[in-house]
Amino acid sequence: MNSSEEIAVSGMSAGRSAMRMGPAELVQAAAMARRFYLEGKSKIQIAEEFGVSRFKVARVLETALERDLVRIEIRVPAELDAERSDALRARYGLRHAVVVESPAEAEETPDPENLGEVAADLLAELVNEGDVLGLAWGRSTIHMAAALDRLPPCTVVQLTGVYDAGTAERGSVEAVRRAAQVSGGDAHPIYAPMLLPDAATAQALRHQTGIARAFEYFDKVTVACVSIGSWEPGISTVHDMLSDEERAHYASLGVAAEMSAHLFDAEGRRVGRDLGERCITVKTDQLRRVPEVVAIAGGQRKGPAIDAVLRSGLVTSLVTDTSAADYLMTAGTTPRSALNRADPDGP
């Protein structure tokens, strides 16, 4: 993230309370503060330079803060909400939570495009050289890939089939290619639909050479990027791919959210496991073993779905917006830590 800390060091005009210090003390305190806060020198180095003990340096720095010689301002870009981010991270026990201001003109729009831009910067922080980056299908991950402008050398693998095989060039296949191009690593796309008519067809496709090669990387993924869908038209690709009868069936099981073609109830428990047998997608137990799983999802309408998926323990980090964050901060009982990644359904 492009956060920064600005330290303003003042001297003789430090304020009424600071004037109780003599001019020599003020000058020395300002010099020590400049060495410590602006030049990055240690207290031991400062002590050696000024011929005092490091304990003396510590006291001077503490006094400088108390008496307003040093003012520390923590700034983040205007579109980031640091307070909500920290509160959301703590509530769900996430490793990272980044909350972006919701667009005023489109508060009800799920997954605003600016989430993808922030997620692109987050991935540049999280991915290390030699990692295997997994990308699942989703509008938010496609926006993220389009915004990528830096990424360490890594292998990029597609974690799900595409929503519509006819739009692969504008969807997750292109997202994988884009990420690999930016990183300079290998790309392993999946040229197959996400949902198949039956389990037998899905199983046959999994054994095709190109798809099987991508599947071999699923257990090697170190950072994954996923989207979250609510169980309603236009916000869940899986919902939109099913027949009316199938939607009604899964709704009767209490489905509240979907992620990578896996369905979850409001408590984060998996439901409708039979659907996964018809899908080209990473398994939930494979996702659970990935060290870092970043979900990108926002919008007030997606609040309950995000809450459900976070409760599943599959996600370690979240990029969302203020609209969804406000819902999540008051959603039901306090959830378990997302870093407690045991399956809530048991073995």
Side-chain angles (χ1 to χ4, degrees):
M1 298 295 96
N2 295 323
S3 61
S4 63
E5 294 187 0
E6 180 179 285
I7 295 88
V9 181
S10 56
M12 291 295 291
S13 60
R16 186 176 300 171
S17 63
M19 290 303 293
R20 296 173 186 171
M21 300 173 70
E25 291 176 302
L26 279 169
V27 170
Q28 185 184 68
M32 287 183 176
R34 185 173 298 279
R35 303 289 194 281
F36 185 73
Y37 290 109
L38 299 183
E39 299 176 12
K41 292 187 176 181
S42 70
K43 293 174 184 177
I44 293 176
Q45 289 174 315
I46 297 170
E48 290 175 351
E49 178 182 348
F50 286 87
V52 298
S53 72
R54 62 186 177 91
F55 302 105
K56 167 74 172 178
V57 173
R59 284 195 301 272
V60 170
L61 293 175
E62 183 178 349
T63 301
L65 284 171
E66 291 175 350
R67 299 195 176 186
D68 211 24
L69 273 94
V70 176
R71 297 177 183 178
I72 300 176
E73 297 180 13
I74 300 176
R75 298 179 179 179
V76 295
E79 70 270 17
L80 298 184
D81 192 311
E83 186 174 349
R84 281 186 176 93
S85 297
D86 188 55
L88 194 61
R89 179 201 57 76
R91 174 173 169 80
Y92 284 89
L94 294 163
R95 188 169 291 122
H96 304 283
V98 182
V99 178
V100 182
E101 288 290 340
S102 300
E105 70 281 3
E107 289 187 358
E108 294 302 313
T109 301
D111 303 336
E113 290 193 23
N114 61 337
L115 293 186
E117 297 169 3
V118 174
D121 283 342
L122 179 61
L123 278 190
E125 286 186 60
L126 299 180
V127 175
N128 295 308
E129 183 173 352
D131 275 349
V132 176
L133 172 63
L135 300 182
W137 195 95
R139 284 179 288 267
S140 56
T141 52
I142 292 170
H143 292 154
M144 179 277 299
L148 280 172
D149 59 9
R150 57 193 174 95
L151 205 60
C154 64
T155 299
V156 187
V157 61
Q158 192 170 322
L159 297 178
T160 64
V162 297
Y163 172 48
D164 181 348
T167 63
E169 292 303 313
R170 292 177 282 118
S172 48
V173 169
E174 180 56 31
V176 169
R177 287 175 172 169
R178 167 67 182 168
Q181 180 184 26
V182 171
S183 74
D186 294 332
H188 296 277
I190 294 177
Y191 296 96
M194 181 189 296
L195 179 66
L196 282 303
D198 52 66
T201 304
Q203 183 66 8
L205 278 177
R206 292 187 194 106
H207 286 91
Q208 287 192 356
T209 303
I211 298 174
R213 186 177 299 115
F215 269 57
E216 289 175 359
Y217 279 90
F218 286 2
D219 288 325
K220 303 173 184 177
V221 172
T222 50
V223 179
C225 192
V226 300
S227 297
I228 296 172
S230 300
W231 198 246
E232 55 181 303
I235 307 186
S236 165
T237 53
V238 173
H239 177 282
D240 292 346
M241 286 189 284
L242 296 173
S243 67
D244 290 340
E245 292 77 14
E246 289 171 323
R247 292 171 193 153
H249 166 66
Y250 291 118
S252 71
L253 300 179
V255 59
E258 64 93 359
M259 180 183 68
S260 303
H262 301 294
L263 310 182
F264 304 87
D265 69 9
E267 297 301 319
R269 296 181 294 255
R270 283 190 63 203
V271 296
R273 295 178 182 237
D274 60 305
L275 182 65
E277 298 175 3
R278 296 169 48 193
C279 294
I280 302 298
T281 184
V282 62
K283 296 178 181 178
T284 55
D285 61 343
Q286 291 174 313
L287 273 178
R288 206 175 294 281
R289 292 193 295 267
V290 176
E292 186 73 78
V293 178
V294 180
I296 313 170
Q300 188 173 15
R301 292 172 64 186
K302 276 197 177 182
I306 298 170
D307 177 61
V309 172
L310 291 182
R311 290 173 184 270
S312 74
L314 291 172
V315 170
T316 61
S317 297
L318 175 69
V319 178
T320 190
D321 64 355
T322 52
S323 181
D326 287 344
Y327 173 88
L328 293 169
M329 289 306 299
T330 58
T333 59
T334 301
R336 66 176 186 160
S337 170
L339 300 183
N340 173 14
R341 307 189 71 189
D343 189 341
D345 302 336

